[in-house]
Amino acid sequence: MRKRAIILNTAIIFGFVAVFFRLVDLMILNHGRLSEKAKMQQLKREDIQVRRGTIFDRMGRELGVNLEVESLYCDPESVASPKNTAYALSKVINKKPEAIVAKLSAKGRFVWLERKLRPETTERIRRMDIKGLGFKPDAKRFYPKKMLASHIIGAVGIDNQALEGVELRYDKFLRTPGGKIFISRDAKGRTLSTGVDRESKGSNIVLTIDEALQSIVEKGLDDAMVRWQAAAATAIMMDPFTGEILALANRPAYDANNAMFTQDSERRNRAITDCYEPGSTFKIIVGTAALEEKVVNLDTKFDCSRGEISVGNAVIHDAHRHGVLTFREVIQKSSNVGTIQIGMKLGKERIYKYAKLFGFGEKTGIDLPGEISGWIRPTKKWSAVSPGAIAIGQEVAVTPLQILRAYSAIANGGILVTPHVVSEVRSPDGNSIYSFSAAEDKITISRKTANIFKDILKTVTEEGGTGKSASVEGNPVAGKTGTAQIIDPRTKRYSREKYVSSFVGFVPADEPIIAVVVYEPKGQIYGGVVAAPIFKEIARQSLSYLNVQREDMKGENILVVDRRR
Amino acid sequence: MKHIHKRSIFSFLLIPSAIVCFLFGIFLIVWLRSSVRTVEYSIASLDNMRLEAIKDRKTLMAEKASLLSLQSIRNMQEGKSNLVFPDRVKVIYVKREGQSIPFRASLKGRRFR
């Protein structure tokens, strides 16, 4: 009995000694290595989900948001039968089986099969329960208004990298760096709460555009494209006092949700990337310069009865023959002969000086990528024809936005504003981290000249003016028509078939300014016939939306509510 | 007279109590740690539910924004009637002046918020 007790005691002691040594091994000798191994098993490293900020219009309507979707990947080494798997998947993800087989048979342990699946597609694949396939959460940039304002908002690529528009220009605010987090998990792979937010969101952007005005402008352009079978068209609406772009649209356009499958011509923001010879809309330069420099007064007469004028070795004609016209009538009837005579009185240095003062030949500074500066040659490179040609808007190249900005200087009393599309950037918690502040606005002409010229521009849309069809019932419109020939690349001469028709105006005198440019319309060429009615339709609906009261109803005891913010 | 030995009291009452306390303490520690772990699982589960709800919210917000676009409304109206902004002659404007005026019901001086 005693002998058995000694054996038992000895066994227990040895057992404890063995346990002790094992503990020393685990806790002291191999502590570092084993604790690292344990951490690797218990902790899982995950990427923080990075989400771009939301883009809003000026009224807080979402124009660019994120959708939570999933992307499908495979571990080629774990896929049992690539051919069968590819065949099954091809029915769901709309890809050829051969393309899927190539991915399923690729080297490595991770290959993307399809990015950003629709939720219903994800569910269907998940139900197939195919070994070797997996899903990773992903964010898809979604533009709920589709084509609306796509040239302003821009687009992103498959990895949410900025490609165009505000998405590109304000990328540093919209994106966020992300990072990694460690999540504890148990033996079954279930994760424990970390208490850390697994999503990091970029700052939100508030645009100056208004969805409703943008929609009105786009509808106007769509109608114009159909009616005139035009090659392209552009329209911009801006607040002339602040430079806030209220709407900007181009045709052709694209759906930003499918930006990768669109053509370059559809993605081109013609309002700032295309220049054209402005034609008569440029006559405000010599007009305002002549008034400012006191070269003419409103009643100065110009003989336009011949209907043509020789400048250098060229003869420039009027579209219709006029008699003797006053300065006011020269602008109202858009007489080339009269304008060239004014230009000759001014001289090339002053024409050039005022063209530069109105911002031509320079970028407007709009906060969108891809803007060009247009083109006006320095006077030493002008030919004998140049003063006459430039006075009527030839031999210069401008963007629609430059023309709009020049007219806004007349609307606002002579100040050249900086157009912009972003008013504010807000951090995800709502604090303002950027708001637009213009560099010092330049003064182009005196307030007095601007007001006089504003009145002259009003006569353009009255009886006898070239822009009669731009007039809006109830409110006076100030504006100017433009018809310009396009250089034919084959003959290097002005084409007799291809024109650019335009109208720039503001209504009422201190309200939004709108520019409409239609490229290569068919059937009619004149800005007063092609572009002015589009302006009218856009203006009519915009005034209704903005609750602008008709001036002919004043004094009838009507109360007005100002809904604008 | 009955004599009670001090040592026997100590061994009879205090040692078992100490063992019980010790075991109870260990039990409490284990129970607390297990409860914390259970709560962590619950929070993780709630986190997942929250993420799912946020995901649904984002989808619904996008859908709402899409449906509320003027273009969608126009498309829905296609063939029925053309959506136009009202003629300004037919609009009655109501002036909004300063502070909102408190609504008065039948009881004079009573204010409803």
Side-chain angles (χ1 to χ4, degrees):
Chain A
M1 184 72 185
R2 187 180 166 77
K3 194 179 173 183
R4 271 193 262 170
I6 291 169
I7 293 169
L8 184 66
N9 285 343
T10 312
I12 290 169
I13 289 165
F14 269 104
F16 272 105
V17 170
V19 169
F20 175 76
F21 278 113
R22 181 60 180 151
L23 286 175
V24 169
D25 177 44
L26 291 175
M27 297 174 73
I28 298 167
L29 301 178
N30 282 310
H31 173 77
R33 184 177 63 84
L34 291 170
S35 66
E36 275 303 309
K37 201 173 174 182
K39 267 186 195 168
M40 281 176 69
Q41 287 173 347
Q42 290 160 5
L43 293 178
K44 186 178 160 193
R45 200 167 77 149
E46 272 195 2
D47 290 328
I48 290 179
Q49 298 296 315
V50 177
R51 302 289 179 260
R52 290 179 77 78
T54 305
I55 300 175
F56 297 98
D57 84 340
R58 67 189 296 125
M59 306 295 274
R61 306 170 182 119
E62 294 94 344
L63 300 177
V65 296
N66 298 308
L67 286 183
E68 299 300 320
V69 291
E70 284 175 288
S71 291
L72 178 66
Y73 70 89
C74 72
D75 173 4
E77 285 184 22
S78 306
V79 177
S81 168
K83 277 192 178 175
N84 289 344
T85 306
Y87 184 73
L89 284 177
S90 67
K91 292 177 181 169
V92 185
I93 62 174
N94 197 25
K95 264 191 174 176
K96 286 183 179 172
E98 300 83 52
I100 302 173
V101 167
K103 288 186 173 181
L104 293 174
S105 314
K107 286 182 180 174
R109 302 292 307 263
F110 183 94
V111 178
W112 285 120
L113 280 179
E114 184 75 358
R115 299 290 302 277
K116 301 178 182 187
L117 295 163
R118 296 164 69 89
E120 55 270 24
T121 311
T122 309
E123 259 325 290
R124 284 178 70 184
I125 297 172
R126 198 163 262 148
R127 278 202 298 269
M128 289 177 180
D129 195 23
I130 300 169
K131 198 184 166 207
L133 301 189
F135 297 91
K136 268 187 171 285
D138 213 341
K140 183 181 164 65
R141 198 64 163 156
F142 179 65
Y143 305 99
K145 317 292 178 182
K146 299 183 176 74
M147 282 175 80
L148 193 96
S150 54
H151 289 107
I152 297 176
I153 300 165
V156 296
I158 192 71
D159 288 318
N160 289 337
Q161 75 279 21
L163 297 178
E164 315 224 12
V166 166
E167 292 274 21
L168 180 60
R169 184 61 187 259
Y170 288 88
D171 190 43
K172 67 174 179 183
F173 291 111
L174 285 165
R175 70 184 155 80
T176 178
K180 305 271 184 195
I181 48 167
F182 290 93
I183 299 170
S184 304
R185 61 179 177 181
D186 64 9
K188 289 182 179 174
R190 290 175 301 182
T191 55
L192 302 177
S193 172
T194 56
V196 177
D197 210 342
R198 291 191 215 175
E199 187 181 292
S200 172
K201 194 168 178 273
S203 301
N204 299 323
I205 285 192
V206 183
L207 299 181
T208 57
I209 67 161
D210 185 305
E211 186 202 336
L213 294 174
Q214 181 73 24
S215 182
I216 291 168
V217 166
E218 299 210 1
K219 175 83 169 45
L221 285 190
D222 284 335
D223 293 346
M225 290 291 284
V226 172
R227 185 171 173 198
W228 301 110
Q229 297 292 302
T234 294
I236 316 166
M237 187 187 293
M238 186 172 85
D239 182 327
F241 291 90
T242 61
E244 289 180 350
I245 299 287
L246 301 171
L248 183 153
N250 300 283
R251 289 291 180 271
Y254 68 102
D255 181 350
N257 293 307
N258 302 310
M260 284 170 288
F261 309 109
T262 54
Q263 296 175 347
D264 288 347
S265 63
E266 292 170 330
R267 288 204 301 270
R268 225 160 72 200
N269 188 353
R270 291 165 198 274
I272 58 169
T273 63
D274 280 22
C275 55
Y276 66 103
E277 283 193 344
S280 297
T281 50
F282 201 75
K283 287 173 182 167
I284 59 158
I285 304 300
V286 284
T288 50
L291 284 175
E292 188 79 1
E293 297 285 333
K294 298 187 171 47
V295 172
V296 295
N297 61 44
L298 288 179
D299 300 318
T300 307
K301 290 192 167 56
F302 296 92
D303 182 8
C304 306
S305 54
R306 283 181 61 203
E308 62 178 37
I309 187 169
S310 295
V311 188
N313 56 359
V315 178
I316 297 175
H317 299 265
D318 265 338
H320 309 286
R321 189 176 287 204
H322 307 287
V324 175
L325 301 176
T326 61
F327 173 75
R328 186 198 300 269
E329 288 168 334
V330 167
I331 303 297
Q332 183 195 20
K333 296 183 188 304
S334 198
S335 165
N336 290 337
V337 174
T339 311
I340 289 169
Q341 289 179 54
I342 301 168
M344 292 302 184
K345 280 191 169 190
L346 267 173
K348 62 181 183 181
E349 292 299 338
R350 285 194 284 198
I351 295 175
Y352 182 75
K353 177 188 154 192
Y354 277 88
K356 295 300 275 185
L357 274 175
F358 274 99
F360 293 105
E362 290 164 11
K363 291 179 180 177
T364 63
I366 190 171
D367 47 351
L368 283 174
E371 187 189 16
I372 58 164
S373 58
W375 182 69
I376 179 164
R377 287 176 300 170
T379 49
K380 61 185 174 192
K381 291 189 176 175
W382 287 20
S383 69
V385 185
S386 298
I390 290 173
I392 60 168
Q394 294 181 346
E395 290 192 19
V396 285
V398 304
T399 62
L401 186 65
Q402 284 177 326
I403 279 285
L404 183 84
R405 183 165 77 139
Y407 275 77
S408 70
I410 294 170
N412 67 25
I415 293 164
L416 202 62
V417 294
T418 305
H420 57 279
V421 293
V422 169
S423 66
E424 196 181 9
V425 179
R426 289 183 194 154
S427 65
D429 45 9
N431 297 322
S432 178
I433 52 174
Y434 163 88
S435 58
F436 175 81
S437 59
E440 204 172 310
D441 289 324
K442 296 177 198 161
I443 295 171
T444 53
I445 50 172
S446 64
R447 179 176 290 274
K448 185 183 167 195
T449 304
N451 288 338
I452 293 170
F453 212 80
K454 198 189 290 181
D455 288 337
I456 296 174
L457 290 179
K458 280 182 191 169
T459 65
V460 173
T461 59
E462 291 169 359
E463 202 60 50
T466 54
K468 177 79 177 71
S469 50
S471 60
V472 177
E473 302 85 1
N475 296 97
V477 176
K480 184 78 192 75
T481 57
T483 309
Q485 290 169 284
I486 296 175
I487 302 265
D488 190 330
R490 285 180 295 119
T491 59
K492 310 276 185 204
R493 299 177 71 87
Y494 281 118
S495 166
R496 288 178 181 277
E497 290 132 28
K498 292 181 179 175
Y499 289 83
V500 177
S501 311
S502 56
F503 186 88
V504 193
F506 38 99
V507 54
D510 59 348
E511 288 298 329
I513 182 162
I514 305 165
V516 178
V517 180
V518 180
Y519 301 86
E520 299 178 37
K522 309 282 185 309
Q524 283 288 347
I525 58 167
Y526 294 111
V529 180
V530 176
I534 304 166
F535 172 93
K536 175 184 179 162
E537 194 50 32
I538 291 172
R540 194 182 61 78
Q541 294 196 41
S542 301
L543 292 177
S544 177
Y545 169 73
L546 292 169
N547 276 342
V548 176
Q549 189 188 2
R550 287 174 63 125
E551 285 184 23
D552 56 357
M553 294 177 76
K554 270 184 183 162
E556 291 183 27
N557 206 21
I558 287 175
L559 299 171
V560 179
V561 57
D562 190 354
R563 195 175 61 184
R564 285 162 289 168
R565 290 178 196 169
Chain B
M1 188 181 145
K2 193 176 178 181
H3 177 75
I4 298 168
H5 200 280
K6 278 184 181 177
R7 196 174 164 186
S8 68
I9 293 169
F10 179 76
S11 55
F12 196 75
L13 282 173
L14 291 184
I15 291 179
S17 325
I19 291 169
V20 167
C21 283
F22 177 72
L23 289 176
F24 185 69
I26 289 175
F27 168 77
L28 273 183
I29 289 168
V30 172
W31 181 78
L32 200 67
R33 287 178 70 91
S34 134
S35 298
V36 168
R37 196 43 65 98
T38 308
V39 169
E40 279 183 354
Y41 278 122
S42 305
I43 294 171
S45 160
L46 288 170
D47 262 352
N48 287 337
M49 282 169 68
R50 179 176 152 265
L51 288 176
E52 281 299 313
I54 289 172
K55 187 174 159 184
D56 289 346
R57 182 175 173 270
K58 284 183 181 175
T59 309
L60 289 169
M61 291 290 280
E63 208 169 316
K64 178 189 157 208
S66 190
L67 287 169
L68 283 177
S69 80
L70 282 175
Q71 198 59 44
S72 304
I73 296 168
R74 241 183 219 125
N75 291 344
M76 278 189 271
Q77 287 284 314
E78 207 67 49
K80 292 176 190 170
S81 63
N82 200 8
L83 181 74
V84 289
F85 285 93
D87 187 336
R88 286 181 295 148
V89 177
K90 296 172 186 166
V91 175
I92 297 166
Y93 296 95
V94 180
K95 196 167 191 173
R96 185 191 289 164
E97 277 185 333
Q99 299 283 314
S100 57
I101 302 159
F103 175 77
R104 285 171 194 271
S106 56
L107 294 172
K108 195 180 177 184
R110 186 175 166 187
R111 290 184 176 190
F112 290 83
R113 287 177 188 271

